[in-house]
Amino acid sequence: MPKELIRLANCTMAFDGEVVLDNINLYINDQEFLTLLGPSGCGKTTTLRIIGGFQTPTQGDVFFDGVRINDVPPHKRQINTVFQKYALFPHLDVFENIAFGLRIAKVPADEIEQRVTEMLGVVSLKGFEHRKIHQLSGGQQQRVAIARALMRYPKILLADEPAASLDPVTGHQILELLKEIQKTEGVTVLMNSHNLELSLEFSDRIIGLKGGSVAFDGTPEQLDETMIHCIYEKDA
């Protein structure tokens, strides 16, 4: 039986009185590729930010491996995030972008060298160590961001629309990379997406969000046309 890693229990999130998440309950299993699917404004990014520790739910609880983590800051969670806009440092080269978090943590230089070299291999960027960020394509920049996110051995990798800023071919390659990382590194991947086709192809399980509530929770094979229409139709 799969081991549950994350659970959101009765989570509500409101901003200035407007409810963005409405008493949602969901779970994420260890080492699965789970996608939060839905149109803009359905609550995907807010859910991701709550799990990552960047926002605290107005009501409800977040559990990691059975322990409540509502008050645990992002840097103390075994969770890291890959952002749609990469969030790389333009004044640093590829090596230093990937190494940044470990340098802040004062990890010994030889360990940083070993870990960065390992991650460059994982994301197929060996030989790019000294490239400046502006010299990279969008797909290469996203690979650098993924390598940086993996540097501290997270249990969960959050991917916020990781293919949205890329052309279709490159976006598909990035999701292939995330799927490979899930399998070979044993990392749970939680992806936000509005792209139905990619979600069906890469996900082990899909949670469809609609108006801040869970409208669907199941495998890609279980997501039929009626439910797809329900998720994407505009609220009256």
Side-chain angles (χ1 to χ4, degrees), residues 13-172:
M13 190 74 204
F15 299 101
D16 299 324
E18 180 182 353
V19 176
V20 178
L21 294 180
D22 188 8
N23 196 40
I24 68 168
N25 291 274
L26 61 84
Y27 67 92
I28 307 168
N29 287 326
D30 190 24
Q31 298 186 30
E32 78 172 334
F33 196 119
L34 176 66
T35 296
L36 298 178
L37 176 68
S40 298
C42 70
K44 302 188 303 293
T45 297
T46 299
T47 302
L48 217 68
R49 290 180 62 81
I50 286 173
I51 293 171
F54 301 105
Q55 290 175 337
T56 302
T58 309
Q59 295 178 351
D61 296 302
V62 183
F63 296 94
F64 180 92
D65 204 11
V67 178
R68 184 179 182 273
I69 60 170
N70 288 44
D71 301 320
V72 177
H75 68 279
K76 291 188 177 181
R77 301 188 183 196
Q78 289 181 282
I79 301 170
N80 221 332
T81 304
V82 176
F83 299 98
Q84 180 180 338
K85 297 297 184 182
Y86 319 136
L88 300 175
F89 301 111
H91 63 290
L92 300 179
D93 63 16
V94 168
F95 186 100
E96 292 302 328
N97 263 280
I98 297 173
F100 183 80
L102 296 191
R103 293 221 188 275
I104 294 297
K106 300 188 184 305
V107 173
D110 58 344
E111 184 177 341
I112 292 175
E113 179 84 26
Q114 177 183 353
R115 185 68 176 143
V116 171
T117 300
E118 177 188 351
M119 283 300 102
L120 285 167
V122 169
V123 300
S124 301
L125 283 180
K126 282 189 175 180
F128 285 74
E129 293 90 331
H130 303 300
R131 294 277 185 94
K132 297 296 184 182
I133 296 304
H134 69 83
Q135 296 175 315
L136 304 178
S137 68
Q140 290 167 342
Q141 290 184 43
Q142 188 65 291
R143 289 173 184 269
V144 174
I146 291 169
R148 184 178 63 185
L150 291 172
M151 282 292 283
R152 301 190 73 174
Y153 301 102
K155 292 287 290 181
I156 301 178
L157 190 63
L158 306 178
D160 189 9
E161 298 275 9
S165 298
L166 303 170
D167 66 83
V169 173
T170 305
H172 193 275

